[in-house]
Amino acid sequence: MKSFQLFFVLFIFISCKKENIYYYSDNKQIKDSTVIRFIDDELTKLKINTQEKNLKIYTTLDSTSYKTNLDSIRNKIFENALTYNFKPEDKQAFDEWFREKIIVVDNKTRRVVNFYSSFKTKKNDRNDVSIGGLRKLIRIGSALNENPDSEIPENYLYNHSYTSGKELEISKKEAQFLSNFNINNLKTEGYFSNYISFLDALKLFQTYNDGILIDPFIIKKVLNKDKVAYFHISRSKEIFSQNNVDKILQYLRDYKGKNFAAFTNQIENTENLIFFGTISDTNLIINDGKYTYLIYNFFAVITDVKKKKSKQIPYFWMKKEGINYYNAVRKK
């Protein structure tokens, strides 16, 4: 009898202890652990304790899955890799180590409408980018923000001239400009020593496209035992005048035309983009008028963990494959 009573008490206790529930914008429940991890990171920024149970989290995300389309692109990349320095037996290592993350934000509302990540393990995940790749864009904004009549060469974004260590430092004016975006506490040694979140990178780029600063957001509201614990309110702030926006868009169009000249047939429907990266990863931010896409690829493929052997997808391939990813995401 006592055993039955104990079992009954445990049953009641477990039944009452509910897990948090995550919803897509169409009220479908979210099961994907990588998506939930992304949401939890944003909840933490909002100072909402994700360890507290009985929360219902309503997001801006679309429940549409693009995984099949993205898998087909991954297979094409590996087929190309076979002609370089890969072997068929490297496929398992490729699938395990080649990683990407994609975030899609609505230009008008700044709602994050889609998120995809193949980083299944949190310790290997990547959540930020170096502002070194955005250095020239930031400097254009800082100069125009200080003086709308600043003279900036048309090909400034595309120009690959040698850069000295001194030119990589962040000036006080540039740091002050970035503080408008709540990007603060920058390391003084330079751009490549500072990292910002993917959403902050998108915030910068979208502000450059329309002049208005609005934070991208993923969480619409949070209920705690059916009481509203959080409700998102978007706030806007003008950073650039329309005249400055027009100038910046001209720089971006010039950059797009030159940096992706070999792939213009693949991106002709996009308005502008920024492509940057390092030896082992790339970041592509594309605005197609309605949405802005951030596509991150980590393409250092480990073929032998014990011997610490690795191979890499050639950097120039990733320009093209980044566009292919963008095309895949757009297909529904």
Side-chain angles (χ1 to χ4, degrees), residues 59-71:
T59 77
T60 60
L61 291 169
D62 191 332
S63 62
T64 303
S65 173
Y66 300 100
K67 189 176 187 307
T68 301
N69 293 334
L70 296 171
D71 284 346

Side-chain angles (χ1 to χ4, degrees), residues 174-321:
E174 289 158 6
Q176 180 63 40
F177 171 68
L178 287 172
S179 69
N180 290 321
F181 301 87
N182 292 321
I183 298 173
N184 300 297
N185 303 316
L186 298 171
K187 297 179 181 178
T188 57
E189 53 263 41
Y191 276 90
F192 286 96
S193 300
N194 290 281
Y195 289 80
I196 59 176
S197 72
F198 287 138
L199 287 186
D200 276 343
L202 282 161
K203 175 171 66 177
L204 272 170
F205 191 66
Q206 287 184 309
T207 303
Y208 274 62
N209 276 268
D210 62 13
I212 306 299
L213 170 60
I214 305 175
D215 287 328
F217 70 100
I218 183 176
I219 300 166
K220 290 193 293 188
K221 65 179 178 180
V222 178
L223 299 184
N224 187 346
K225 297 178 181 178
D226 295 327
K227 292 184 178 180
V228 177
Y230 171 81
F231 186 84
H232 178 81
I233 299 175
S234 290
R235 294 179 174 85
S236 62
K237 176 183 178 182
E238 183 179 289
I239 301 296
F240 300 114
S241 67
Q242 186 57 53
N243 186 48
N244 279 351
V245 170
D246 292 341
K247 287 183 180 180
I248 292 169
L249 293 180
Q250 182 56 50
Y251 297 133
L252 287 167
R253 281 191 290 269
D254 183 69
Y255 173 84
K256 169 189 167 182
K258 292 180 178 178
N259 202 43
F260 278 86
F263 313 114
T264 50
N265 62 319
Q266 296 176 320
I267 60 171
E268 59 185 8
N269 294 325
T270 67
E271 293 194 359
N272 51 59
L273 56 84
I274 283 290
F275 173 86
F276 54 98
T278 65
I279 295 175
S280 62
D281 58 8
T282 64
N283 293 278
L284 185 71
I285 306 180
I286 305 176
N287 166 39
D288 67 4
K290 187 175 182 179
Y291 299 113
T292 299
Y293 304 73
L294 184 144
I295 300 173
Y296 168 80
N297 289 121
F298 176 76
F299 52 93
V301 179
I302 311 301
T303 55
D304 192 322
V305 177
K306 291 182 180 179
K307 295 182 180 180
K308 297 183 179 180
K309 288 184 178 180
S310 66
K311 297 177 181 178
Q312 292 181 342
I313 303 298
Y315 188 74
F316 63 89
W317 282 4
M318 294 315 300
K319 283 188 179 183
K320 183 175 181 180
E321 299 309 336

Side-chain angles (χ1 to χ4, degrees), residues 13-56:
F13 176 76
I14 294 171
S15 299
C16 292
K17 188 179 180 182
K18 297 180 180 179
E19 294 295 317
N20 292 336
I21 305 174
Y22 298 74
Y23 295 99
Y24 290 107
S25 57
D26 54 6
N27 288 329
K28 292 183 180 178
Q29 191 171 340
I30 299 174
K31 305 287 187 180
D32 190 318
S33 61
T34 56
V35 177
I36 291 174
R37 194 164 71 225
F38 177 56
I39 297 169
D40 277 347
D41 286 342
E42 294 306 302
L43 287 169
T44 300
K45 293 177 186 177
L46 296 172
K47 297 182 180 180
I48 296 174
N49 183 8
T50 57
Q51 300 303 313
E52 184 177 353
K53 304 305 178 184
N54 299 312
L55 297 180
K56 292 182 180 179

Side-chain angles (χ1 to χ4, degrees), residues 24-152:
Y24 290 107
S25 57
D26 54 6
N27 288 329
K28 292 183 180 178
Q29 191 171 340
I30 299 174
K31 305 287 187 180
D32 190 318
S33 61
T34 56
V35 177
I36 291 174
R37 194 164 71 225
F38 177 56
I39 297 169
D40 277 347
D41 286 342
E42 294 306 302
L43 287 169
T44 300
K45 293 177 186 177
L46 296 172
K47 297 182 180 180
I48 296 174
N49 183 8
T50 57
Q51 300 303 313
E52 184 177 353
K53 304 305 178 184
N54 299 312
L55 297 180
K56 292 182 180 179
I57 300 100
Y58 294 84
T59 77
T60 60
L61 291 169
D62 191 332
S63 62
T64 303
S65 173
Y66 300 100
K67 189 176 187 307
T68 301
N69 293 334
L70 296 171
D71 284 346
S72 67
I73 297 297
R74 287 166 64 86
N75 290 335
K76 288 180 182 178
I77 294 173
F78 184 75
E79 287 174 10
N80 289 335
L82 292 176
T83 65
Y84 181 60
N85 62 353
F86 279 69
K87 298 176 182 178
E89 54 266 31
D90 292 331
K91 185 67 166 67
Q92 183 176 352
F94 177 88
D95 287 337
E96 183 178 352
W97 288 92
F98 183 89
R99 291 288 174 251
E100 61 276 292
K101 182 175 286 190
I102 298 169
I103 303 173
V104 185
V105 182
D106 184 282
N107 285 345
K108 186 176 181 180
T109 64
R110 300 304 206 263
R111 293 184 176 190
V112 180
V113 297
N114 190 255
F115 172 83
Y116 170 83
S117 174
S118 59
F119 288 90
K120 301 303 179 185
T121 305
K122 185 174 183 178
K123 67 177 182 179
N124 295 325
D125 202 350
R126 178 69 178 273
N127 300 298
D128 55 18
V129 297
S130 165
I131 63 171
L134 300 170
R135 173 175 53 91
K136 289 188 174 183
L137 195 63
I138 290 169
R139 284 188 167 159
I140 286 176
S142 176
L144 290 175
N145 188 254
E146 181 185 12
N147 178 15
D149 297 321
S150 295
E151 293 293 331
I152 302 169

